[in-house]
């Protein structure tokens, strides 16, 4: 019976395309469409420094993806990241990493993104003031909750539909980024950009108004536009040829995301001009569409943002609903036997999904309290979750150089046994280390670690964040106490 359940969860439902779309779709939410002005303001109107900001902010996803691809080539066990931590980290650290990712991080991100769906839904359909001036936030939460529940249902009972939805929304959210980039290239190539192009190229001169390296620190908030890439590891058991396709996705998708962001930023700055983008603020993309298609197109950015964040929620839920199951298989989740049970009718651990939904609802309640009480100035609980998660990721990153050299306890012997040969070559081929060069095995982990510490640490230094970090630590301590009690 247990073997049949395991086989059900190892059904190869998803392709490389779905893994790519999952990473790209989760990373590209609504925020990127409204960040060009923030970047230019931080750099004093310099497009060149803006490009540098995006490249710095992408360090975590680009080099993190390269680093995790080493693990992905070695394992396709349930849980993805959770299995990497279990195998290659000390047990207490692995449990802290796994509980944070599955119980604190993913549900909190699901809660906040679902609310953002409600925000854009109300904007697109003009419902902001439809139920009273003071009820806008409540209405947004209700619509976000409805979409989240629908998303959870089709991920459980129609997982292939979820994959198709992810692919479709990714295509829809990528098209505007490509269109703006192409328009910028065409606009400049035809020599019609005039002052706008000159302003963009010479923008570095105006950066003299930037105080020293203040623009450098401003890269940290932009990094949140790249978050979510690691969630794709959660579908490893259900991904066709996972040991080849998941590493490919982890390497290729971050570079695609960075290229799209740069294309959008440079294109928008070229067509409108940096000064126009800064003065227009969040209306920049609407102004861009209006200039091409007329005033009626000004609403398009909100429609695009709605579709984008719906795709992001779907991608997060796709991974999040599987995490209690992965923890339960390790005995690290309450009612483990029930949560790890895979329903033979739907081929999915339904109680795992129920647990995931319940955790998200709890974090939605926390989000409501934090927002209505203004407990996190200029932010929300997702920022704390993302930053805390980035810092913990360093534990996996710093392990890779030792892993490459075969210095992780038990790795060499286990690989040789798996290969059925005493040769190092056979061991490397069996455990996935073959072909891991110095760049992917040493340089990338170091840069990913530096980027995670910089971005995560910078975000946690903001007011109101450490109180929530303290809550996280208390929750993790409570889980350790529960686990120790369970082992007695």
């Amino acid at each position: 019976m247990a073997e049949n359940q395991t086989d059900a969860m190892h059904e190869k439902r998803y392709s490389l395309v779905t893994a790519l779309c999952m990473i790209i779709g989760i990373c590209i939410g609504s925020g990127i469409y409204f960040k060009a002005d923030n970047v230019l303001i931080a750099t004093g109107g310099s497009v060149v420094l803006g490009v540098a900001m995006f490249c710095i902010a992408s360090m975590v996803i680009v080099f993190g993806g390269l680093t995790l691809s080493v693990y992905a080539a070695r394992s396709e066990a349930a849980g993805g990241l959770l299995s990497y931590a279990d195998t290659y980290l000390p047990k207490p650290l692995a449990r802290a990493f796994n509980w944070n990712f599955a119980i604190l991080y993913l549900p909190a991100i699901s809660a906040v993104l679902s609310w953002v769906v409600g925000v854009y839904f109300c904007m697109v359909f003009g419902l902001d003031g439809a139920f009273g001036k003071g009820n806008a936030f409540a209405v947004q939460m209700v619509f976000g909750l409805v979409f989240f529940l629908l998303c959870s249902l089709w991920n459980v009972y129609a997982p292939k539909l979820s994959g198709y939805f992810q692919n479709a929304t990714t295509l829809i959210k990528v098209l505007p980024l490509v269109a703006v980039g192409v328009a910028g290239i065409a606009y400049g190539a035809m020599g019609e950009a005039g002052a706008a192009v000159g302003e963009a190229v010479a923008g570095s001169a105006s950066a003299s108004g930037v105080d020293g390296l203040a623009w450098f620190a401003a890269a940290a908030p932009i990094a949140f536009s790249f978050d979510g890439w690691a969630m794709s590891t959660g579908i490893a058991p259900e991904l066709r040829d996972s040991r080849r396709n998941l590493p490919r996705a982890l390497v290729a998708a971050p570079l695609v995301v960075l290229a799209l962001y740069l294309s959008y930023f440079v294109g928008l700055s070229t067509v409108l001009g940096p000064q126009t983008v800064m003065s227009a603020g969040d209306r920049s993309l609407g102004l861009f569409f209006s200039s091409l298609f007329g005033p009626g197109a000004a609403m398009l950015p909100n429609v695009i943002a709605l579709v984008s964040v719906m795709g992001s929620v779907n991608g997060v839920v796709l991974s999040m609903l599987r995490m209690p199951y992965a923890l339960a298989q390790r005995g690290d989740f309450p009612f483990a036997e029930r949560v790890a049970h895979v329903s033979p009718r739907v081929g999915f651990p339904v109680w795992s999904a129920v647990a995931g939904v319940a955790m998200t609802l709890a974090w939605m309640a926390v989000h409501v309290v934090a927002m209505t009480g203004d407990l996190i100035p200029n932010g929300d609980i997702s920022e704390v979750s993302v930053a805390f998660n980035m810092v913990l990721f360093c534990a996996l990153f710093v392990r890779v150089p030792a892993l490459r050299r075969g210095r992780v306890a038990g790795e060499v012997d286990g690989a040789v046994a798996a290969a059925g040969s005493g040769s190092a070559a056979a061991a490397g081929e069996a455990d996935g280390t073959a072909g891991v060069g110095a760049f992917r095995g040493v340089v990338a982990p170091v840069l990913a670690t530096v980027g995670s510490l910089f971005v995560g640490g910078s975000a946690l230094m903001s007011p109101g964040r450490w109180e929530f970090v303290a809550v996280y630590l208390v929750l993790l301590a409570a889980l350790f106490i529960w686990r120790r009690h369970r082992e007695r």
Side-chain angles (χ1 to χ4, degrees):
M1 181 67 179
E3 290 183 1
N4 292 335
Q5 292 180 8
T6 302
D7 290 342
M9 281 305 291
H10 279 71
E11 179 187 345
K12 303 302 181 182
R13 298 181 173 103
Y14 305 116
S15 66
L16 172 61
V17 173
T18 300
L20 287 167
C21 288
M22 187 175 178
I23 297 173
I24 296 170
I26 292 174
C27 290
I28 302 176
S30 61
I32 185 59
Y33 302 109
F34 308 105
K35 275 193 166 56
D37 60 308
N38 303 97
V39 174
L40 287 170
I41 290 171
T43 62
S46 170
V47 176
V48 175
L49 288 182
V51 169
M53 275 184 66
F54 274 103
C55 292
I56 292 168
S58 71
M59 280 181 63
V60 176
I61 181 176
V62 172
F63 296 112
L66 285 168
T67 304
L68 285 193
S69 70
V70 177
Y71 290 112
R74 304 164 69 89
S75 172
E76 56 180 28
L81 283 175
L82 277 60
S83 68
Y84 308 161
D86 262 350
T87 305
Y88 305 112
L89 297 181
K91 181 55 71 176
L93 181 57
R95 280 181 175 153
F97 182 94
N98 291 346
W99 283 330
N100 169 73
F101 189 76
I103 298 175
L104 305 182
Y105 171 72
L106 284 178
I109 298 299
S110 299
V112 174
L113 284 177
S114 297
W115 164 62
V116 177
V117 168
V119 170
Y120 284 110
F121 186 86
C122 290
M123 290 174 66
V124 169
F125 294 99
L127 300 176
D128 277 330
F131 300 92
K133 292 183 179 179
N135 298 322
F137 179 71
V139 173
Q140 294 162 0
M141 287 299 303
V142 168
F143 282 114
L145 173 62
V146 170
F147 177 76
F148 167 73
L149 294 176
L150 289 174
C151 195
S152 299
L153 283 173
W154 74 55
N155 267 280
V156 172
Y157 294 102
K160 290 186 177 180
L161 173 62
S162 172
Y164 295 144
F165 182 82
Q166 192 65 37
N167 297 349
T169 55
T170 298
L171 178 62
I172 292 171
K173 67 173 69 178
V174 162
L175 285 176
L177 300 178
V178 174
V180 172
V182 170
I185 294 171
Y187 202 60
M190 291 187 298
E192 296 179 0
V197 173
E199 193 181 345
V201 174
S204 57
S206 67
S208 58
V210 182
D211 183 16
L213 294 178
W215 66 272
F216 188 84
I222 306 302
F224 290 101
S225 299
F226 292 92
D227 185 61
W229 53 277
M231 298 178 197
S232 62
T233 61
I235 64 169
E238 301 161 77
L239 183 64
R240 296 170 203 149
D241 197 6
S242 174
R243 293 197 179 195
R244 290 182 181 271
N245 284 335
L246 191 53
R248 289 170 180 167
L250 286 168
V251 172
L255 296 174
V256 172
V257 172
L258 176 59
L260 288 170
Y261 283 3
L262 290 177
S263 171
Y264 172 77
F265 173 70
V266 174
L268 194 66
S269 300
T270 300
V271 173
L272 298 181
Q275 293 301 326
T276 303
V277 173
M278 288 189 288
S279 61
D282 290 347
R283 296 181 292 106
S284 297
L285 186 57
L287 187 61
F288 173 86
F289 281 118
S290 297
S291 65
L292 293 181
F293 306 112
M299 182 57 71
L300 276 176
N302 288 337
V303 176
I304 294 166
L306 174 61
V307 174
S308 295
V309 77
M310 287 172 70
S312 296
V313 171
N314 184 72
V316 174
V317 171
L318 188 69
S319 176
M320 185 269 297
L321 296 182
R322 291 160 169 78
M323 291 299 109
Y325 166 80
L327 287 176
Q329 284 191 316
R330 298 159 170 80
D332 289 337
F333 200 85
F335 308 104
E337 185 175 348
R338 173 172 290 186
V339 173
H341 174 73
V342 179
S343 169
R345 187 168 66 88
V346 298
F348 195 93
V350 176
W351 283 104
S352 173
V354 171
V357 169
M359 291 189 297
T360 301
L361 293 178
W363 281 109
M364 280 187 175
V366 174
H367 174 61
V368 169
V369 172
M371 293 296 288
T372 55
D374 196 23
L375 301 182
I376 304 178
N378 300 316
D380 53 63
I381 58 172
S382 68
E383 294 184 14
V384 185
S385 300
V386 170
F388 191 68
N389 191 61
M390 280 186 177
V391 173
L392 285 183
F393 254 102
C394 296
L396 279 177
F397 294 155
V398 300
R399 200 70 166 168
V400 169
L403 190 65
R404 175 176 173 266
R405 295 190 298 268
R407 292 181 181 176
V408 176
E411 281 294 304
V412 175
D413 293 341
V416 170
S421 167
S423 71
E429 186 175 351
D431 72 5
T433 56
V436 178
F439 182 78
R440 194 154 63 104
V442 179
V443 176
V446 170
L447 293 176
T449 301
V450 171
S452 294
L453 290 175
F454 169 68
V455 173
S458 298
L460 292 177
M461 291 299 108
S462 301
R465 272 62 174 177
W466 276 106
E467 292 83 350
F468 279 87
V469 171
V471 172
Y472 285 6
L473 295 176
V474 169
L475 290 173
L476 290 175
L479 287 167
F480 273 110
I481 293 171
W482 164 78
R483 192 66 175 83
R484 181 172 295 181
H485 177 74
R486 187 175 183 273
E487 290 173 347
R488 289 177 179 172

